[in-house]
Amino acid sequence: GAGGAQVENSRQDAKAPSVDESRPTTHEPRVVESPHKGKSGPTRIWNALSYSLAGLAAAFRHESAFRLELLLAAILIPAALFMSVSGLGKAAMIGAVLLVLIVELFNAAVEATVDRISLENHPLAKRAKDIGSAAVFLSLVNVAAVWLLVLFG
């Protein structure tokens, strides 16, 4: 979801009014939720859908790799549906293609986050981006493996 949790280390917030102060206690830091997480029910679902569509639009607008993989998905998913393989085979083939899109979205999020922090060359930034790229590569290898296994056993 949007936003994260922050830990607040204030002593007075950690005390519970009903605690017997004569006995030693351990206090866990209080977790303060993002103020953007206040919605619930249908409003929360609607907001989540809106954020998801905005994320897909941003990926389409800013990520050429996502656009290419989306084009491949637009070809491969209908092809899988029309092939004479079992329903489970079709599900595996389509799932493998969708996994590529999911991994690419995570990769794009990592890259955007790294670039937001700093545009300078740094070994950790390179590592993060290389690992994201490796994840996309493995998801593409998975597509080839699943399709070959389903089609040729």
Side-chain angles (χ1 to χ4, degrees):
Q6 295 178 346
V7 177
E8 188 176 295
N9 288 320
S10 171
R11 274 271 183 210
Q12 73 182 25
D13 287 341
K15 286 185 183 179
S18 62
V19 171
D20 179 3
E21 293 194 26
S22 65
R23 292 188 296 158
T25 60
T26 59
H27 295 287
E28 294 289 325
R30 197 180 106 197
V31 176
V32 179
E33 293 290 332
S34 166
H36 305 290
K37 288 195 164 214
K39 307 290 185 207
S40 64
T43 302
R44 184 180 185 115
I45 293 169
W46 181 256
N47 287 345
L49 174 63
S50 174
Y51 300 144
S52 297
L53 293 175
L56 287 169
F60 187 82
R61 193 170 37 253
H62 299 287
E63 300 294 329
S64 61
F66 183 75
R67 289 191 298 273
L68 178 60
E69 291 154 355
L70 200 58
L71 175 64
L72 290 173
I75 295 166
L76 292 177
I77 290 173
L81 290 173
F82 289 109
M83 290 186 179
S84 60
V85 297
S86 70
L88 198 54
K90 290 177 185 186
M93 294 166 82
I94 293 169
V97 171
L98 291 176
L99 182 62
V100 171
L101 296 175
I102 293 166
V103 173
E104 184 63 52
L105 288 169
F106 279 122
N107 182 47
V110 167
E111 288 184 354
T113 302
V114 168
D115 290 345
R116 166 63 176 93
I117 293 168
S118 175
L119 293 174
E120 75 180 50
N121 288 328
H122 190 280
L124 291 176
K126 180 179 181 344
R127 184 189 312 169
K129 290 183 175 190
D130 288 351
I131 290 170
S133 180
V136 173
F137 173 74
L138 289 178
S139 72
L140 291 166
V141 169
N142 182 61
V143 168
V146 167
W147 280 62
L148 288 171
L149 287 169
V150 169
L151 294 175
F152 304 110

